[in-house]
Amino acid sequence: MIDISKARLVHLRWLLQLEKRIRHESAPTLESCRTCELGKWIYSEALEKYSAYPEISFLEKRHRHFHETADILVKLFGDRNFVEAEVALDELKRDSQDLIFMLTMFEYRYTGFNEAS
């Protein structure tokens, strides 16, 4: 089981670092949605082990979309398409909020389920 509190913090820190780097025109190297820490957990354990929780399926979709949007964002900034990049950054921040919400909801439901057992 992933440490969800840590996952939320790592995710937020990663998003802040990404924004800082692109604003300073330093193109970051991005991991795929399967190789980042959260992705490793989702694809190696969560989708199968926690499939009864609808949050996991939504988390996987939002996480994949988050990485796709991050790739687009980096390309747009690299191409100096700053207006479109700002739109992508806003979308990335919304995706980030969704991810954190889904992690929190899963944590709440999973913890509540275990306490009731």
Side-chain angles (χ1 to χ4, degrees):
M1 176 66 148
I2 192 171
D3 179 339
I4 293 178
S5 294
K6 179 182 174 188
R8 281 189 296 259
L9 293 174
V10 166
H11 174 76
L12 286 172
R13 187 180 73 222
W14 186 88
L15 180 61
L16 291 172
Q17 288 174 344
L18 173 64
E19 184 175 6
K20 180 179 176 182
R21 289 192 70 190
I22 60 175
R23 293 215 184 273
H24 290 91
E25 299 184 20
S26 170
T29 303
L30 302 178
E31 291 183 271
S32 78
C33 67
R34 291 182 175 267
T35 59
C36 73
E37 187 174 341
L38 181 57
K40 287 178 185 176
W41 176 72
I42 290 171
Y43 293 107
S44 70
E45 179 181 354
L47 285 175
E48 185 175 325
K49 188 173 181 180
Y50 305 109
S51 63
Y53 297 91
E55 295 87 0
I56 293 299
S57 175
F58 185 74
L59 176 67
E60 186 274 331
K61 288 178 181 73
R62 297 312 298 173
H63 180 250
R64 186 170 12 99
H65 187 261
F66 178 86
H67 278 267
E68 291 166 358
T69 303
D71 289 338
I72 291 168
L73 171 64
V74 169
K75 182 176 179 354
L76 289 168
F77 265 99
D79 293 344
R80 306 189 73 72
N81 292 330
F82 298 121
V83 172
E84 291 179 42
E86 289 297 332
V87 172
L89 181 58
D90 287 344
E91 183 177 346
L92 195 65
K93 288 177 179 179
R94 283 190 303 276
D95 287 347
S96 178
Q97 290 172 346
D98 287 347
L99 286 171
I100 290 170
F101 179 74
M102 286 295 101
L103 282 167
T104 303
M105 290 305 299
F106 170 72
E107 179 182 42
Y108 175 77
R109 285 174 37 97
Y110 181 75
T111 303
F113 175 77
N114 283 338
E115 288 175 359
S117 298

